[in-house]
Amino acid sequence: MKIGIDLGGSHIGIGLVDENGNILEKKEKYFDNYNISEIEKTIEEFISEQVIQMSLAYRIEFIGIAIPGTVSENKIIKAVNLGIENYDLATQLKEVLHIDVKLKNDAKCAALAEQKYGELSQYDNSVFLCIGTGVGSAVFMDGKLLEPKGLPGFEISHTIIQKNGLLCNCGKRGCFETYASIKRFKEKLSKEFNIHSIDGEVIRDFIRKNENNPRLKYLLNNYIEDLSIGISNIINIFEPEAICIGGSFAEYEDILYEPLKQALLKGNLLFNKRNDIIIKYAKLKNDAGIIGATLI
Ligand SMILES: [Zn+2]
């Protein structure tokens, strides 16, 4: 039995997960004022409740936490959305709970879950992309998650796809993430067409109802073009058997899937030409972080 924790921008999801990746108990909490002490308090409360409920019948092997940011040697180096830098969350929690705590980047956790129980379980060589506000990524080769020894690496989202392009949160210009961010894409559509929301459902409805609008077509094509450049770079380096996309991007599967596939296959982007590309959409959705955190 393990505890998996997914830390989001303003939300924390905690689950008691069994050996087969099933979530037996789950607690979710949303915060207005999100800070590290609130996070620690919520985790401590959940663990105490579980330990009492289970009457210590199960031994909790460890607590795994999916962190939206950079993790190195089990410490948080930087998590902008949590307002944390150089913080040893694992040691802090272990001192209170007396259970081992392991941390890993959230996209890598979601990728591990998808590879073990989801859409990537059939493939040894694959790439996982989490496209939401930012872009997270993970690469599997021979069934193993690739990880450098020191810093986590695989910052595919911060590879530059446009010289002197848009300023990225990381301080560089022209990063893949600034062009692939689904949040940014929605904001652009909302501003351009005076839609008073960037809610996924509202934007999706608008796209469906206005598919022949030339300006909308242009913006969609533009987005797909940027996205396909970034993804083709990944394909050219790793030649994965399949790519799995998670995050809020996956909600637009019916709108973006085919154009993305066609842009990759028909454009002059791939070094090794292919007749087909397997693009999957994440199956485990919001539970991927919790389940993946127990696979660290
Ligand atoms: Zn960047």
Side-chain angles (χ1 to χ4, degrees), residues 54-95:
M54 293 189 299
S55 313
L56 295 169
Y58 304 103
R59 197 178 142 254
I60 295 170
E61 278 177 59
F62 68 86
I63 300 168
I65 310 182
I67 304 286
T70 310
V71 176
S72 178
E73 292 172 352
N74 220 29
K75 292 188 183 72
I76 301 174
I77 303 297
K78 199 192 241 180
V80 180
N81 289 335
L82 304 180
I84 305 172
E85 234 177 275
N86 298 317
Y87 190 71
D88 191 354
L89 178 64
T91 304
Q92 293 289 334
L93 286 173
K94 194 182 172 180
E95 272 177 17

Side-chain angles (χ1 to χ4, degrees), residues 110-111 114 119-120 127-132 134-136 176 180 182 223-224 227-228 231 234 242-253 256-257 260-261 264 277-285:
E114 215 59 53
E119 291 293 339
L120 292 177
V127 168
F128 178 85
L129 287 172
C130 182
I131 304 180
V135 177
F176 176 45
I182 195 81
Y223 179 65
I224 291 293
L227 203 59
S228 58
I231 294 179
I234 305 167
I243 295 168
C244 180
I245 305 181
S248 44
F249 182 91
E251 294 167 16
Y252 293 81
E253 181 184 351
L256 300 172
Y257 183 95
L260 175 62
K261 209 170 164 178
L264 285 165
I277 280 177
I278 300 172
I279 304 175
K280 302 271 187 181
Y281 287 86
K283 184 177 160 188
L284 301 166
K285 311 267 179 221

Side-chain angles (χ1 to χ4, degrees), residues 142-277:
D142 285 337
K144 285 199 186 97
L145 178 69
L146 293 186
E147 286 184 291
K149 256 191 170 175
L151 289 165
F154 293 92
E155 297 293 356
I156 289 164
S157 49
H158 300 287
T159 52
I160 293 172
I161 63 163
Q162 215 159 98
K163 187 185 170 189
N164 297 326
L166 297 167
L167 186 65
C168 177
N169 286 336
C170 76
K172 300 197 299 164
R173 282 192 178 275
C175 290
F176 176 45
E177 176 169 291
T178 53
Y179 295 88
S181 159
I182 195 81
K183 183 168 177 258
R184 200 165 181 140
F185 170 69
K186 287 194 288 183
E187 280 170 355
K188 202 170 174 181
L189 289 190
S190 147
K191 201 173 153 199
E192 182 100 12
F193 296 102
N194 251 326
I195 309 165
H196 299 289
S197 167
I198 60 155
D199 179 73
E201 197 54 52
V202 176
I203 299 286
R204 246 191 332 267
D205 264 8
F206 177 82
I207 296 174
R208 282 197 202 104
K209 284 177 189 151
N210 295 277
E211 55 183 359
N212 292 322
N213 180 312
R215 181 67 189 158
L216 177 64
K217 269 188 182 170
Y218 170 80
L219 290 174
L220 275 171
N221 286 341
N222 215 262
Y223 179 65
I224 291 293
E225 194 179 61
D226 290 335
L227 203 59
S228 58
I229 291 172
I231 294 179
S232 72
N233 289 337
I234 305 167
I235 295 174
N236 288 334
I237 297 169
F238 298 106
E239 294 293 353
E241 296 164 84
I243 295 168
C244 180
I245 305 181
S248 44
F249 182 91
E251 294 167 16
Y252 293 81
E253 181 184 351
D254 55 334
I255 293 164
L256 300 172
Y257 183 95
E258 216 32 57
L260 175 62
K261 209 170 164 178
Q262 292 312 317
L264 285 165
L265 291 173
K266 293 189 175 157
N268 193 23
L269 295 168
L270 298 181
F271 182 78
N272 294 311
K273 299 290 173 221
R274 297 165 166 230
N275 293 324
D276 198 13
I277 280 177

